[in-house]
Amino acid sequence: MTTDPVCGMELLSGEAAATVQYGGKTYYFCSDECRQQFQVQPAVYTE
């Protein structure tokens, strides 16, 4: 299990709708909307 850093939803990494590599780590998202929000300001969600 992993947690979408934008909305907090728990999901299986293999079932994620989108992923992003940032700072040497893979982030998993429940939707493309959450991925887009993350990419605008990734530091907000990774601090």
Side-chain angles (χ1 to χ4, degrees):
M1 292 294 282
T2 188
T3 304
D4 182 320
V6 175
C7 70
M9 176 184 267
E10 290 189 4
L11 55 138
L12 297 172
S13 57
E15 296 179 1
T19 62
V20 169
Q21 293 285 326
Y22 178 77
K25 184 177 176 185
T26 302
Y27 292 89
Y28 299 89
F29 303 92
C30 68
S31 68
D32 197 49
E33 287 179 5
C34 281
R35 179 195 58 82
Q36 289 174 359
Q37 206 170 347
F38 178 88
Q39 288 184 303
V40 171
Q41 292 184 307
V44 170
Y45 302 103
T46 58
E47 293 180 342

